[in-house]
Amino acid sequence: RARGSLRRQLLAVFGGALLVLLLTSVLGVAYLVNRTEQAGWRGRQQEAAQRAAETVGAFLKGEQQVLLLLDLFGHDELLAERSDKLEELLRRNPALLEIVYLNAASRVLAHAPKDSAMLAHLFTIPQSRWFVAARQGQNYVSDVQLSAGDTAYLILAIPTTESGVIAARLKMQVLQEVVAGRVPATFSTLS
């Protein structure tokens, strides 16, 4: 009997040790799998955010290129057409809500709003951040803003070759669609 009970005791100790080892191994593997999944998830989220930022950046750069092309036309051509070219650009580019072309003294040379004129308020132009930054030679991209009708938009402004400013309001909805992949990142706006 002493032998049988010693054997049972050894088997019980050995079985208990194996059980503890098995539980420790399972918990260790579960912990490592959880950490790996979390790291992978974070990596995918960072990659998605990076791609979205690159897409929006490319879209905004494309819209700034459109404004630069307008500057190349020159204000004489835009004024001679009485902003028909700007209005045509607004019709062809769904992202644009308004374009304004200003001289160095903040006088409106050409203007085309799609809905309401927010950028061309003569009293507020000289104090506007977008005008001041562009007059100092910097490209300007605003934070998201809301219009009176709760339409989200951004303001882009660039300096012109004649010390003036070209500014545009862009619909945020179009930017969301660009990030979602429903709208190409670049528009064929002048074709």
Side-chain angles (χ1 to χ4, degrees):
R1 268 189 183 215
R3 273 183 135 192
S5 106
L6 181 59
R7 186 179 288 176
R8 272 191 230 128
Q9 287 177 353
L10 284 175
L11 284 175
V13 168
F14 184 66
L18 279 177
L19 183 62
V20 167
L21 183 62
L22 181 64
L23 285 174
T24 304
S25 298
V26 167
L27 289 175
V29 167
Y31 175 74
L32 290 174
V33 166
N34 186 26
R35 284 195 57 179
T36 303
E37 285 180 357
Q38 285 181 356
W41 181 81
R42 270 190 239 111
R44 286 187 300 275
Q45 292 299 317
Q46 287 174 344
E47 188 178 306
Q50 180 68 30
R51 269 186 302 208
E54 289 170 359
T55 301
V56 169
F59 177 77
L60 292 176
K61 190 161 188 74
E63 294 300 324
Q64 285 176 330
Q65 293 298 323
V66 169
L67 297 180
L68 285 172
L69 286 174
L70 285 175
D71 185 34
L72 292 178
F73 285 140
H75 70 275
D76 292 337
E77 289 81 6
L78 292 174
L79 287 178
E81 295 286 330
R82 285 191 221 120
S83 300
D84 288 344
K85 296 286 186 193
L86 292 180
E87 289 172 5
E88 178 65 22
L89 180 60
L90 285 178
R91 277 192 294 278
R92 290 180 180 245
N93 190 332
L96 293 173
L97 292 170
E98 178 180 12
I99 300 173
V100 63
Y101 192 43
L102 308 158
N103 67 8
S106 75
R107 189 175 135 249
V108 176
L109 301 174
H111 179 242
K114 197 175 267 185
D115 49 13
S116 61
M118 297 178 73
L119 299 178
H121 289 290
L122 299 176
F123 181 72
T124 60
I125 290 173
Q127 295 92 19
S128 301
R129 282 191 222 157
W130 56 267
F131 181 77
V132 172
R135 276 283 288 122
Q136 293 173 349
Q138 303 167 357
N139 289 349
Y140 178 84
V141 179
S142 74
D143 292 333
V144 177
Q145 299 180 31
L146 287 175
S147 67
D150 289 334
T151 302
Y153 66 91
L154 291 176
I155 297 174
L156 292 180
I158 62 167
T160 66
T161 54
E162 297 179 10
S163 301
V165 172
I166 295 178
R169 278 189 308 128
L170 297 177
K171 271 191 226 178
M172 279 300 297
Q173 179 184 359
V174 173
L175 286 174
Q176 292 166 342
E177 291 171 0
V178 166
V179 171
R182 292 182 289 217
V183 175
T186 57
F187 292 101
S188 140
T189 54
L190 296 177
S191 59

